[in-house]
Amino acid sequence: MKSESYSSFIFDVESSEVEIGTYTKAILEHAEMIKRSSYLLYGSKETNVSIKANRPGSLEVIFSYIEGPTIIAAMIGAGAILIQTIVEFYQSKKDAQENGGAKTIEVNNKVTKIKFNNGKIINYTVNINQLIEDEEINKSSERLFKTLQSDTKVRGISIKDERSGIVLEREEFPEMMKPITVQDDINNTKTEVCRYNLQVIRPYLSESLPKAWEFLRFKDQSSINAKIVDDDFLNNITKYSFTVGTIMDVDLEITSEYDEYLQEYLEKKYKITKVHEVKERA
């Protein structure tokens, strides 16, 4: 027993035409996505993909795919789930871009749950992880969207069947070329260096050990403890006179950690990498 399913691939173009190279390469890569996904999801190596006639002058490509006589592939609705999986695969790429990348990916009872680095969790209704991890799928997706990106007349595409669909705009093509990679811990901390005027509250006057000083940060009137690691300053520290109220113009390195409960970065550590000037308040 074989099952036949249909889906469409629509070019959104500026005029009623598209370059033949773009057309042929794009539909070939999409056909490969269908066949490879059918194999990953159902074990079907006999999926035949063809193009059906629609109407004269249309840039909508109707794909027909007949899966081989395997038990799973012959199940009713298998073809629709196939396109739904491809659609949600592309949607997960959009979601990863919008939410700082994927942190963890879990599959439970064929449902995929992705936790993103900003703390957001999205459940996908099918097992897209098989596509996410497959090298051939990712290469085919990259080739497809490189082809579309190279043709300036293509403003976007749509992929759909009777159950699901997705619209991808031109500005989203670069993200569709990239594979989804789990980036656990990569975005959990961040470091930035900013120039600040800090008021000395308690100095640590030593020529050797760079222990923390206490400062008032004028930006938010907060008290912070920061080590000074500027060797030029430390080697000449005896040249300066420090009292409560002394102002230091510095480069402040701030290390922040992501708080999953608050879903924001919180400052954790401070370090002064450069002292530009020491000023006494009048």
Side-chain angles (χ1 to χ4, degrees):
M1 179 180 177
K2 296 184 178 182
S3 63
E4 185 171 9
S5 304
Y6 301 92
S7 66
S8 61
F9 188 102
I10 305 170
F11 292 88
D12 178 9
V13 292
E14 295 177 357
S15 59
S16 59
E17 62 182 35
V18 67
E19 294 291 335
I20 187 66
T22 302
Y23 184 91
T24 54
K25 289 179 183 178
I27 62 176
L28 280 172
E29 290 300 343
H30 184 60
E32 287 301 314
M33 289 281 292
I34 292 174
K35 289 192 286 186
R36 181 63 181 173
S37 298
S38 180
Y39 171 71
L40 292 172
L41 295 172
Y42 312 122
S44 174
K45 296 183 180 180
E46 303 175 27
T47 300
N48 297 316
V49 181
S50 58
I51 296 175
K52 292 285 186 179
N54 187 18
R55 61 183 184 275
S58 172
L59 287 178
E60 178 176 359
V61 183
I62 305 297
F63 281 86
S64 166
Y65 32 97
I66 302 176
E67 286 125 353
T70 61
I71 295 175
I72 299 179
M75 293 173 58
I76 296 175
I81 294 174
L82 172 61
I83 291 302
Q84 183 178 353
T85 306
I86 293 174
V87 164
E88 293 197 22
F89 167 68
Y90 286 135
Q91 182 62 51
S92 69
K93 288 174 177 269
K94 294 178 66 171
D95 295 336
Q97 167 67 13
E98 294 170 1
N99 295 288
K103 184 175 182 180
T104 60
I105 300 177
E106 299 177 14
V107 180
N108 184 18
N109 195 26
K110 296 184 180 180
V111 174
T112 305
K113 180 173 75 172
I114 300 182
K115 184 175 184 179
F116 297 96
N117 278 307
N118 66 353
K120 187 172 184 178
I121 296 175
I122 298 179
N123 291 309
Y124 300 88
T125 58
V126 289
N127 183 4
I128 59 173
N129 193 47
Q130 287 178 281
L131 275 62
I132 290 173
E133 293 183 342
D134 189 75
E135 185 177 355
E136 289 185 36
I137 287 286
N138 284 302
K139 286 182 177 179
S140 188
S141 178
E142 180 184 6
R143 290 192 297 266
L144 168 59
F145 287 96
K146 275 186 176 179
T147 297
L148 297 170
Q149 181 78 6
S150 66
D151 191 332
T152 56
K153 293 180 181 178
V154 179
R155 297 177 301 196
I157 61 164
S158 302
I159 301 170
K160 64 179 182 179
D161 65 6
E162 68 273 14
R163 291 179 55 174
S164 59
I166 190 169
V167 176
L168 297 169
E169 305 294 343
R170 182 176 185 83
E171 56 267 23
E172 296 173 311
F173 290 172
E175 200 59 35
M176 296 301 110
M177 300 178 200
K178 304 175 187 176
I180 290 181
T181 55
V182 175
Q183 300 176 328
D184 192 14
D185 292 331
I186 290 180
N187 290 338
N188 283 353
T189 63
K190 68 175 183 179
T191 301
E192 58 182 341
V193 177
C194 303
R195 190 161 178 172
Y196 283 109
N197 279 321
L198 302 178
Q199 179 179 314
V200 176
I201 297 177
R202 185 176 66 246
Y204 184 82
L205 302 178
S206 171
E207 297 180 13
S208 55
L209 298 176
K211 291 189 177 180
W213 294 40
E214 185 178 356
F215 297 96
L216 175 68
R217 183 167 54 177
F218 290 111
K219 171 189 173 184
D220 53 8
Q221 294 296 300
S222 63
S223 174
I224 63 171
N225 293 309
K227 292 182 179 180
I228 300 177
V229 294
D230 180 352
D231 288 336
D232 288 339
F233 171 78
L234 293 174
N235 290 335
N236 294 281
I237 197 169
T238 55
K239 296 180 179 179
Y240 302 99
S241 174
F242 296 95
T243 60
V244 174
T246 298
I247 306 298
M248 296 178 65
D249 176 10
V250 303
D251 288 342
L252 182 66
E253 181 182 289
I254 305 169
T255 301
S256 302
E257 295 180 3
Y258 188 78
D259 186 292
E260 294 188 3
Y261 179 76
L262 297 175
Q263 295 192 14
E264 63 178 307
Y265 284 94
L266 302 178
E267 295 180 359
K268 294 294 184 179
K269 293 187 295 184
Y270 306 92
K271 182 166 59 178
I272 293 173
T273 58
K274 177 67 176 176
V275 177
H276 294 284
E277 187 179 2
V278 177
K279 300 176 285 187
E280 287 291 336
R281 292 193 73 173

